[in-house]
Amino acid sequence: MRKKEGFKEEKSVILPRGILKELKENELMNALMVTDIGYYPNAENHYRKRKGSAQHILIYCIDGEGWVEIDNKRQVIKKNEYIIISAFTPHRYGANNRNPWSIYWIHFTGDKSHIFVNHPNEKVEIDLSVNSRFKDRILLFEEIYNNLEMGYSKDNLEYANICLWHMLGSLRYLSQFRKIKEIHSSDRIAKSIAFMRGHLNEKLSLETLAAHVGLSVAQYCSLFKKKTSRSPLDYLTHLKIQKACGLLDFSDLKINEIAKQVGYTDPFYFTRVFSKVMGLSPKKYRNTIKG
């Protein structure tokens, strides 16, 4: 039985299989790449049991308390502690009943990912000091999450995965850790993507999208493709499916209701599009254990 987590302000992004294939074929990203990322605050009753994950799993606790059990050894994970569970390692973990943890979690893989499995399957404490830079590390997580949430353009994917190097490096090389540089964008394509995200429940045409940023359809499509390596409508579809994934994960809405929330009046067509993008049906996705 699938249990709704229902953690207030929870969030996650699960990359579609097609996007993961692109990452594996990209020389800049195939050494180390994120496959799933999320945040569970005050995660009461959080529990997972696996025979092993195909990816390494980072669990980074920022508050409360939980536990991880590997080879019948239970380790308590508290605030400012983390653990990286090696791929294909059977494990269980969960939140403390009285003081449930708040955690950031990332599933990652890649040809060189094993290098970043710092102290595999053993918890690590980050000592308090003026140079701990806890907030900067959280900003790195947000950089990864926010870029993936903005959609799967080549630049977003590459930047998010470069930030993953930085975040995991901040754990492995504590003394060398430095703060991140925030990047802001105000160009027409960024404006267009923000417009898409604000109107995911609508059926947007190329004419509408182009007019919103003051370009002809031809100019808009050419610039969008140049900036993101994707067509506008393909990008929009991925944003819609990403939103649908969140609704499947964190709401009890029926699939036809979710379809309407992301601009599909025909739930059967929505299911076909979802299955093509994610590699499995909405129902199977909803029943998949994540985090």
Side-chain angles (χ1 to χ4, degrees):
M1 295 292 291
R2 181 181 186 278
K3 176 185 177 298
K4 289 291 180 185
E5 303 292 357
F7 312 134
K8 186 179 180 181
E9 299 181 1
E10 64 193 343
K11 55 187 179 182
S12 69
V13 170
I14 313 299
L15 270 65
R17 294 179 185 180
I19 298 301
L20 294 177
K21 183 179 178 182
E22 290 183 22
L23 297 185
K24 292 177 182 178
E25 295 172 352
N26 185 306
E27 291 183 349
L28 184 62
M29 294 185 280
N30 58 19
L32 179 68
M33 53 191 185
V34 58
T35 66
D36 311 65
I37 185 170
Y39 169 59
Y40 290 166
N42 192 31
E44 186 177 2
N45 296 321
H46 183 216
Y47 175 78
R48 294 287 182 267
K49 179 180 180 180
R50 297 187 182 91
K51 294 181 179 179
S53 167
Q55 306 87 31
H56 309 295
I57 303 173
L58 166 67
I59 299 175
Y60 180 55
C61 182
I62 63 166
D63 201 11
E65 185 177 314
W67 54 270
V68 174
E69 186 175 296
I70 299 172
D71 292 333
N72 296 318
K73 176 185 175 182
R74 179 171 290 206
Q75 303 174 72
V76 175
I77 311 295
K78 299 180 180 180
K79 181 178 180 180
N80 300 329
E81 295 180 344
Y82 72 91
I83 189 170
I84 300 179
I85 303 172
S86 297
F88 306 108
T89 300
H91 60 269
R92 297 193 307 149
Y93 56 79
N96 179 281
N97 291 332
R98 295 183 179 180
N99 184 25
W101 60 11
S102 294
I103 57 170
Y104 288 94
W105 53 267
I106 296 179
H107 291 224
F108 64 95
T109 187
D111 297 340
K112 304 295 184 183
S113 59
H114 62 281
I115 297 173
F116 288 90
V117 182
N118 193 30
H119 303 289
N121 305 321
E122 296 288 339
K123 78 169 182 180
V124 179
E125 179 183 358
I126 303 175
D127 295 334
L128 287 170
S129 75
V130 293
N131 295 319
S132 295
R133 296 196 177 280
F134 295 117
K135 292 182 179 179
D136 290 331
R137 186 172 291 105
I138 298 307
L139 285 175
L140 277 172
F141 173 90
E142 295 294 343
E143 288 281 318
I144 298 169
Y145 179 86
N146 289 337
N147 272 270
L148 294 177
E149 188 184 39
M150 283 292 292
Y152 306 124
S153 72
K154 183 171 180 287
D155 285 348
N156 282 357
L157 290 167
E158 289 184 347
Y159 180 68
N161 282 285
I162 287 171
C163 285
L164 178 62
W165 282 80
H166 194 178
M167 182 177 184
L168 293 176
S170 78
L171 298 172
R172 185 175 181 86
Y173 306 103
L174 288 176
S175 62
Q176 289 80 22
F177 180 44
R178 298 292 184 268
K179 68 179 181 179
I180 65 173
K181 178 180 180 181
E182 296 183 358
I183 296 178
H184 300 281
S185 175
S186 58
D187 62 23
R188 286 178 171 180
I189 299 308
K191 181 180 178 181
S192 178
I193 292 170
F195 179 75
M196 289 179 180
R197 294 181 65 206
H199 297 78
L200 293 178
N201 62 328
E202 302 174 22
K203 186 175 182 180
L204 298 174
S205 66
L206 283 174
E207 290 76 13
T208 299
L209 293 169
H212 181 71
V213 293
L215 295 172
S216 69
V217 170
Q219 289 173 323
Y220 173 68
C221 289
S222 176
L223 182 60
F224 199 101
K225 182 79 171 182
K226 182 178 179 180
K227 287 278 189 178
T228 70
S229 77
R230 299 186 183 282
S231 71
L233 295 183
D234 181 54
Y235 203 100
L236 176 60
T237 296
H238 277 89
L239 288 178
K240 286 176 177 286
I241 298 305
Q242 184 184 88
K243 174 66 174 179
C245 286
L247 292 171
L248 287 165
D249 283 336
F250 305 132
S251 80
D252 292 311
L253 292 174
K254 296 179 180 178
I255 290 175
N256 66 318
E257 295 172 324
I258 291 174
K260 292 180 181 179
Q261 290 272 341
V262 293
Y264 292 93
T265 56
D266 183 347
F268 297 103
Y269 180 64
F270 164 73
T271 295
R272 290 199 298 272
V273 174
F274 187 99
S275 300
K276 182 179 179 181
V277 172
M278 295 301 297
L280 69 172
S281 69
K283 183 178 179 180
K284 288 184 177 178
Y285 176 87
R286 171 167 266 173
N287 291 328
T288 301
I289 295 176
K290 311 171 191 76

